[in-house]
Amino acid sequence: MRIMILSALLAANVAWAYAPTPNQAKVNVKWPDAAKEVLIIEGQQYRAELDVARVGLELFNNDGESLFVIEPGALKLGDVAVSGPGRINIYSFGTEMYEIHLRDLVAHEMDGEVELALYCYGDRIFFNLNVRHYDESPAPAPKIGLGLDAANRQPASGTSAHVVYVPDVTLSEEGAARRGAALGMLFAEDSKHAESMLHQELHADQVEFSLQRGFLEGYRPERGFYEITVDYTGPRSFEEGLINPNQRYEVGMEISSPFPADIVCNVRHTYGVLEAAVLTDEHGFPLPVQVQVGKNFGGEKEEGIQEGDIPYGEAYVPISVTPETPFKGRVYHLFGNWGTSPLIQISSIRFFHHYFHSSLGPTETFCYVPFEYPRPDGRNYYWADVRAQSNFYWPGQPQHDHVSILGHLRYKSGGEWINNLHQDTRIYLTSPNIASFGNDYLSEDGKIATTLEVFETPELDETRSYVELTLNVLDDVSIDGDSAHNLRFLNAGAYIVRTVWPEVAYTDVNGDTQVVEVSADDSWALEAVPLGADTPFAAAYSHSHGNMAFVVQSFEGVLGGEPVDQFGLSVYGDTRWTEMFLTAPE
């Protein structure tokens, strides 16, 4: 069976488009099951399984052959083994790489914080075992045991891995506050590619940079990129980005190499409000190169007060050079507009979990949390922040307030709520003015595959976000109790800011608008009331935090063996928030 739902979230336009580009994301990361004990990392040339519970890792080639293993206990501080279970936090992701941190690891009798940080590219992984300590005594040196022959930098067992490169790096940052050891692994398509990749890593310092308005910090062999710090003292807040939306800064780059090199530049600043970035030629004309944008907002203390929380913004820029074709161009960091158009570009955020948004200029509009499934507290969401609006910004608050959060498919079966497991994030296009991507999910019971295709483009006064939600039912699903309560295709609830909407308006089966009052006393205001079949809406209002609305452009499916062409609407008045969701129409 197949259910297809096409809805526009808070939009008044029926236009629809997809970027005509293939998936640009070179790495995918997912949990195979709800236990979240093993994290799967899928590159273009490898597959890795990170044991979060026991702190180990196994690498496979694309044919499923095991290449080598970091056994649990092989990561050490001095002679003390590092143990778990750890906690996954994804600091950055996009088209080029995932930066994954396994936090809260333990080395007995060691006072400090231990983590394993992974920088995962399509054909490379860099492992960093770090220890942060807050007293004056030095921490033991981290060690990564892998059973490698250090002389030839190849797997000692003679596996089919083309290249394994081990940078002999011991890190020290901010005095004795951080120590680390790193190990890098390269995966090539063939022996010629392997030789080229290894040569590039061993001679990374031969790639020459000439920069304008920036400083080269050098190649970071433990992370796999060249780091560039921007010399700029521009806008530091959303307010300044709104006042002068065309304020931006550029870094001029001339790059040459005596050998062919595919490099990644991390162009970074320390203001933490970076919304978008673009690579151009030397004259400022955009190049068709996807740029990955990441940021951290200071002050949220995700990893504890002692560690600190410095804001930053960074752009990962892939560039290819050869002796005959050096590169000359610019990287622009953007705050408000690109030309005459507001920004709309995917940017990931270092936060408490996997988190990214499509920014509309100096605001956050829709924020996505693809790893948020399953939630143990019953609050279901995929859109973590919905700030869509059709109005002027109010003075002093250009980042308009959070309105609601949204979730897709969830149902109760076998006495438990069945949530979704993230399978893939496909990025089609992330430019300064367009965001187009998809997310794939599989229900925990393996019975329903869900795909969300998202296309976003900005207007001057409101957001344009179009979402196609497709549910492919692979096996029969039995819903516990009343489907009006326990089958939810698309739900809205202000679980974070705790908004109670006192009224809900909707289009009934006759095409008329009905209004019902919602009591905040743990009771149902509506239970699977059928909506009209011709572009119906449902809206919850009014509150200082904002209002919430669904506009359904089309719906078709089969439920219980019968065709259906309309949703049902259920509304629950919790004492803390109002829940509104689309369900079966009876």
Side-chain angles (χ1 to χ4, degrees):
M1 292 187 292
R2 176 183 174 90
I3 301 172
M4 187 176 73
I5 303 165
L6 176 62
S7 63
L9 301 179
L10 292 168
N13 195 327
V14 297
W16 184 266
Y18 289 126
T21 52
N23 180 15
Q24 301 292 310
K26 297 178 181 179
V27 184
N28 179 50
V29 173
K30 65 181 181 180
W31 298 106
D33 53 49
K36 294 188 175 182
E37 294 182 348
V38 176
L39 187 71
I40 305 299
I41 304 166
E42 298 171 326
Q44 295 171 312
Q45 303 294 332
Y46 66 89
R47 181 176 185 270
E49 294 184 2
L50 175 63
D51 192 324
V52 174
R54 300 187 306 149
V55 195
L57 183 135
E58 186 168 8
L59 284 154
F60 305 86
N61 62 20
N62 288 337
D63 295 326
E65 177 187 4
S66 178
L67 300 178
F68 35 77
V69 179
I70 299 178
E71 295 285 356
L75 305 178
K76 296 182 178 182
L77 293 180
D79 296 325
V80 180
V82 173
S83 60
R87 170 179 57 86
I88 289 291
N89 193 346
I90 294 175
Y91 283 12
S92 182
F93 96 102
T95 52
E96 282 303 308
M97 56 88 78
Y98 265 81
E99 180 184 344
I100 304 167
H101 290 247
L102 182 58
R103 304 299 305 256
D104 300 342
L105 303 180
V106 175
H108 293 291
E109 300 182 359
M110 202 289 295
D111 182 19
E113 296 181 2
V114 184
E115 71 165 9
L116 179 65
L118 286 72
Y119 297 82
C120 307
Y121 302 83
D123 55 3
R124 302 173 293 151
I125 297 184
F126 297 85
F127 305 93
N128 293 247
L129 182 59
N130 302 320
V131 54
R132 293 178 176 87
H133 54 102
Y134 306 107
D135 54 26
E136 295 181 358
S137 61
K143 298 178 182 178
I144 302 177
L146 191 61
L148 297 177
D149 181 351
N152 59 21
R153 301 176 187 265
Q154 295 289 337
S157 60
T159 67
S160 60
H162 292 294
V163 178
V164 176
Y165 168 53
V166 183
D168 303 316
V169 176
T170 299
L171 305 175
S172 178
E173 295 182 0
E174 299 178 4
R178 178 177 180 268
R179 295 188 69 183
L183 178 149
M185 299 181 182
L186 316 180
F187 304 90
E189 298 175 355
D190 50 44
S191 59
K192 184 178 180 179
H193 185 204
E195 181 179 351
S196 174
M197 291 179 67
L198 183 57
H199 186 272
Q200 178 178 323
E201 289 292 333
L202 293 175
H203 303 282
D205 58 347
Q206 294 183 14
V207 178
E208 295 186 356
F209 287 76
S210 176
L211 303 176
Q212 297 82 44
R213 295 170 295 279
F215 302 94
L216 179 66
E217 308 292 347
Y219 183 66
R220 299 295 297 268
E222 79 280 9
R223 300 182 182 183
F225 56 68
Y226 291 87
E227 187 169 321
I228 296 170
T229 300
V230 174
D231 177 20
Y232 187 74
T233 56
R236 296 171 180 262
S237 69
F238 286 105
E239 181 76 15
E240 290 169 306
L242 176 69
I243 292 171
N244 186 357
N246 289 311
Q247 194 165 207
R248 60 180 74 103
Y249 59 79
E250 64 184 89
V251 179
M253 301 193 304
E254 297 182 30
I255 307 173
S256 61
S257 173
F259 49 83
D262 296 316
I263 66 174
V264 173
C265 297
N266 181 322
V267 184
R268 185 182 177 100
H269 72 97
T270 57
Y271 301 134
V273 295
L274 180 62
E275 299 303 324
V278 64
L279 180 68
T280 75
D281 65 13
E282 60 183 306
H283 305 293
F285 291 97
L287 296 174
V289 175
Q290 304 280 18
V291 177
Q292 175 175 324
V293 176
K295 72 178 74 171
N296 179 53
F297 293 111
E300 292 167 326
K301 304 293 192 298
E302 299 95 340
E303 305 299 352
I305 296 175
Q306 286 184 304
E307 182 176 318
D309 194 17
I310 299 173
Y312 61 78
E314 56 190 7
Y316 292 90
V317 185
I319 295 175
S320 296
V321 292
T322 70
E324 296 78 25
T325 57
F327 174 81
K328 188 174 183 179
R330 310 174 190 174
V331 175
Y332 284 90
H333 282 190
L334 308 172
F335 295 103
N337 286 9
W338 174 236
T340 59
S341 300
L343 300 175
I344 189 79
Q345 186 172 28
I346 295 171
S347 57
S348 66
I349 307 173
R350 171 183 163 178
F351 199 49
F352 295 92
H353 40 218
H354 194 191
Y355 198 98
F356 71 99
H357 71 214
S358 298
S359 300
L360 181 62
T363 76
E364 297 174 31
T365 51
F366 288 95
C367 299
Y368 301 88
V369 191
F371 273 20
E372 194 58 19
Y373 293 88
R375 287 189 60 88
D377 59 7
R379 294 182 284 176
N380 173 45
Y381 58 83
Y382 163 75
W383 291 271
D385 297 290
V386 175
R387 292 186 171 96
Q389 51 92 47
S390 181
N391 208 330
F392 297 105
Y393 302 124
W394 47 91
Q397 182 57 36
Q399 183 192 15
H400 39 57
D401 285 346
H402 160 66
V403 174
S404 178
I405 51 183
L406 299 173
H408 58 81
L409 177 70
R410 193 170 191 247
Y411 54 89
K412 198 170 188 179
S413 182
E416 296 181 352
W417 282 105
I418 305 300
N419 294 285
N420 295 281
L421 294 168
H422 179 254
Q423 302 296 301
D424 193 9
T425 296
R426 292 165 289 113
I427 299 175
Y428 304 127
L429 187 61
T430 172
S431 76
N433 302 127
I434 292 177
S436 182
F437 58 94
N439 280 126
D440 300 322
Y441 293 89
L442 184 66
S443 59
E444 291 179 89
D445 57 10
K447 293 186 176 183
I448 300 182
T450 299
T451 297
L452 291 100
E453 300 279 358
V454 182
F455 177 82
E456 296 192 1
T457 184
E459 297 291 339
L460 291 178
D461 67 337
E462 58 191 77
T463 302
R464 295 287 189 265
S465 181
Y466 299 94
V467 179
E468 184 181 59
L469 170 63
T470 303
L471 311 176
N472 284 298
V473 184
L474 309 177
D475 196 359
D476 289 349
V477 176
S478 296
I479 306 299
D480 291 354
D482 194 337
S483 63
H485 301 170
N486 297 333
L487 173 60
R488 306 181 178 192
F489 295 127
L490 185 68
N491 70 273
Y495 307 122
I496 297 176
V497 295
R498 300 197 173 191
T499 301
V500 176
W501 289 299
E503 293 182 294
V504 168
Y506 66 94
T507 307
D508 67 15
V509 291
N510 297 318
D512 298 324
T513 299
Q514 302 293 336
V515 178
V516 297
E517 294 184 356
V518 182
S519 301
D521 58 0
D522 291 324
S523 63
W524 291 92
L526 293 173
E527 297 177 87
V529 175
L531 296 177
D534 185 15
T535 318
F537 78 92
Y541 62 97
S542 62
H543 197 280
S544 60
H545 291 158
N547 311 316
M548 186 66 212
F550 298 142
V551 178
V552 183
Q553 294 186 309
S554 67
F555 171 43
E556 60 183 80
V558 176
L559 291 172
E562 299 294 330
V564 290
D565 61 0
Q566 62 198 106
F567 278 119
L569 176 67
S570 290
V571 177
Y572 185 73
D574 193 285
T575 57
R576 299 159 294 175
W577 49 67
T578 304
E579 287 186 296
M580 176 176 68
F581 60 88
L582 302 178
T583 182
E586 59 182 43

